[in-house]
Amino acid sequence: MKLINNLKVSKVLITGPDTKVSDLLKTMIENSISIAIVRDGKVLGTVSKERLEKIERPEEPVSQFINENVITVTGDEDSLYLLSLLLKNKLDCLVLTKRNKILGALTLSDLLYSIQKRAELS
């Protein structure tokens, strides 16, 4: 995880929609990554490692299990606004982009960490 504009950002794995759930889960575990972004020219959705671990059909393509409700942010937004956006939309993460390039994901723990750090500096 790294800090961008005082935000803690989770590393993500970017994969295609036809990737098997079992293959994606294995890669996520090997690389200690908790969020995957599924794209095919554009972001199709996200999926968490926790969700993949519950799937009973591991040979199915990951596209069948993604959360298609995706919100992209630039990281220039206020941390509290981002937190409310995440919670209001019941998302695993917000996708952080700059100039149409995916930089990572902002998870609940990332945002809470950033808010805590900002409070400590005040």
Side-chain angles (χ1 to χ4, degrees):
M1 294 190 199
K2 55 186 171 178
L3 291 172
I4 295 181
N5 298 338
N6 297 321
L7 288 173
K8 188 176 181 184
V9 180
S10 291
K11 291 188 328 184
V12 294
L13 183 64
I14 299 174
T15 190
D18 297 327
T19 304
K20 290 181 185 177
V21 167
S22 58
D23 294 340
L24 180 58
L25 183 58
K26 179 182 175 196
T27 302
M28 291 173 81
I29 291 169
E30 288 173 351
N31 293 286
S32 300
I33 294 176
S34 62
I35 297 287
I37 296 174
V38 180
R39 62 176 285 153
D40 189 12
K42 65 176 185 152
V43 176
L44 301 176
T46 63
V47 65
S48 68
K49 182 179 77 161
E50 291 78 19
R51 183 167 184 187
L52 291 176
E53 290 172 331
K54 295 175 185 174
I55 293 172
E56 296 176 5
R57 301 182 320 260
E59 296 307 309
E60 293 286 324
V62 72
S63 61
Q64 306 244 347
F65 305 100
I66 61 174
N67 180 352
E68 294 176 338
N69 185 14
V70 176
I71 296 177
T72 61
V73 296
T74 64
D76 295 326
E77 301 88 352
D78 179 72
S79 300
L80 290 174
Y81 169 75
L82 293 173
L83 178 62
S84 68
L85 195 60
L86 183 80
L87 295 173
K88 182 174 91 173
N89 291 285
K90 300 176 184 170
L91 299 172
D92 293 322
C93 69
L94 301 170
V95 178
L96 181 66
T97 62
K98 288 276 187 193
R99 296 183 188 98
N100 295 323
K101 181 180 178 195
I102 297 170
L103 301 178
L106 297 171
T107 64
L108 177 61
S109 61
D110 295 335
L111 292 169
L112 292 175
Y113 175 86
S114 297
I115 292 167
Q116 176 189 4
K117 287 298 177 189
R118 187 173 75 181
E120 290 173 359
L121 295 174
S122 297

